[in-house]
Amino acid sequence: MICKAWHFLAITGMLLIAGCQTDDLKPTEGGKSEGAAAAAKTPGNGGFYNQTLGAGRVRVGYLGVRRSDHAARQADSEARDGAALAVSSLGSDIVKLTMLESAESLPAIETAARSLASQGIGLLMTTARGAELSAVQAAMVGRDVPVISFETNDVSLPENVYPFRSSPTDSLLEGSTFALAEGATHAMVIAGSQTEVPAAERLAQQIKAFGAKVEPVALLSGGDVPARSLASWNKVDLLIFMSGVKSPGVVLKKADSAKPPRPGRRQVASTALAASDLVDPKMTGTIVCRYDQNIEARLGRRYMATYGLPASTSAAYGFDAMAMAIGLVNAFGDGAFAAERLRSPSGFSGSLGIFRFEENGDVRRNCDVFKVAKGSYVFFQKAPPTL
């Protein structure tokens, strides 16, 4: 797991992604990258994109789904642009990327996926989600094509589908393991609603796997910590707030008044904190793990030169997924996308940092540690260079 890298995990043999190491991700001076322009619209198809980039022998597919929701459509556009930029700037002679957009219906998605499968793709990236992923896999019958989904570990996915986005729960895990490395030993996860409990329980089990004692998840009721959790309140030295907890500083003040906290207690939260939380004295020193701090430094100028826009997190995910594919093909050719390659414990380096797929297929990323102070997130420690 990533977290043990904070102080004492050293993994050698990092699989180098051509053009995707930290130094290489610093943009070069000059104009737009050739071939990385936005995907073309084919006349008569309602404006759906269909474009192929690169001239490599190994084929990769990108299947986008045209959503009615503007934010989702924008995220798809940015991820696609990031993938296109990776091909044009890192591997136009290594891979051939076909980007195809589908209407938001299961038959249309399956048809589009079948079209990509017929072209002999070895890897598919997609913004399909939920039941749509089963339709995608149905189109791959007879072919072992791994799928990179821009979903998170919080979502249940079909076999051979790899989540690629990191969620607030993932950042809570990394922040918690940093706190454990600092000396915390006894944790409690606090959930803001019943819908958060399953994710909170998974998080608690992951923290427990690192040797910490973990109390049952504390589900707030009316903003109050339940009595059974207060019973052990003075024993825990690590509190983890799920992203749905509103006004965690107020929660702390009330609970600490009822039962004084253990000295030296640490707190972990996500970037879902509101401005009022950041200025609350009870939240000072809270650990927050962030994945998005180096996108501009590693990708921003190159992306801006190509598209005239700042590089978003969605663009970085698209770039990193494609850069990973290019690096694997460069190293292993036709066998690049075998499970043992994708799940290499050495991991990969991208604009969002170091990441890898675990044995169960979940994605893990390192992240920079910040602490809440003076009404803001204050940088505390840089992400480790290895997982």
Side-chain angles (χ1 to χ4, degrees), residues 118-141:
S118 70
Q119 297 178 47
I121 61 171
L123 178 74
L124 177 67
M125 298 181 292
T126 184
T127 57
R129 61 196 185 198
E132 297 167 351
L133 289 166
S134 296
V136 168
Q137 288 205 311
M140 302 289 167
V141 170

Side-chain angles (χ1 to χ4, degrees), residues 17-102:
I17 302 297
C20 201
Q21 298 305 303
T22 302
D23 291 341
D24 296 327
L25 281 161
K26 293 178 181 177
T28 56
E29 299 292 340
K32 295 183 179 181
S33 303
E34 294 182 5
K41 294 179 180 179
T42 304
N45 71 349
F48 293 89
Y49 59 77
N50 185 349
Q51 185 182 25
T52 296
L53 300 175
R57 190 166 63 86
V58 176
R59 290 179 174 266
V60 176
Y62 180 102
L63 173 57
V65 179
R66 176 166 291 199
R67 309 285 179 193
S68 56
D69 175 71
H70 175 74
R73 186 183 291 195
Q74 183 66 26
D76 171 73
S77 175
E78 292 168 353
R80 167 171 42 94
D81 287 346
L85 181 60
V87 173
S88 65
S89 58
L90 304 179
S92 60
D93 59 339
I94 297 174
V95 300
K96 181 176 287 187
L97 171 65
T98 296
M99 300 181 292
L100 185 61
E101 187 177 38
S102 163

Side-chain angles (χ1 to χ4, degrees), residues 211-301:
K213 182 174 181 180
V214 184
E215 295 292 328
V217 170
L219 174 59
L220 298 181
S221 176
D224 294 332
V225 175
R228 78 168 183 180
S229 298
L230 277 178
S232 55
W233 192 252
N234 61 346
K235 300 176 183 177
V236 299
D237 58 3
L238 174 58
L239 293 177
I240 303 102
F241 292 98
M242 298 295 290
S243 58
V245 175
K246 306 300 182 185
S247 303
V250 175
V251 173
L252 285 173
K253 184 176 181 180
K254 292 167 69 175
D256 288 349
S257 296
K259 197 159 192 177
R262 178 174 169 178
R265 182 184 66 193
R266 293 171 174 84
Q267 299 161 186
V268 173
S270 72
T271 52
L273 293 176
S276 57
D277 300 327
L278 296 175
V279 298
D280 192 318
K282 295 293 286 187
M283 297 301 289
T284 297
T286 297
I287 297 166
V288 177
C289 193
R290 303 188 66 175
Y291 298 105
D292 58 354
Q293 293 307 288
N294 293 303
I295 296 174
E296 280 303 309
R298 294 171 174 169
L299 184 62
R301 289 174 61 190

Side-chain angles (χ1 to χ4, degrees), residues 308-361:
L309 295 168
S312 66
T313 305
S314 293
Y317 281 128
F319 184 93
D320 287 1
M322 194 65 234
M324 175 191 72
I326 292 167
L328 285 169
V329 172
N330 190 50
F332 303 111
D334 290 342
F337 306 129
E340 62 269 23
R341 309 293 192 201
L342 286 168
R343 300 183 188 189
S344 168
S346 300
F348 310 92
S349 178
S351 61
L352 284 162
I354 306 298
F355 67 94
R356 72 164 178 242
F357 294 110
E358 303 284 79
E359 279 301 312
N360 65 357

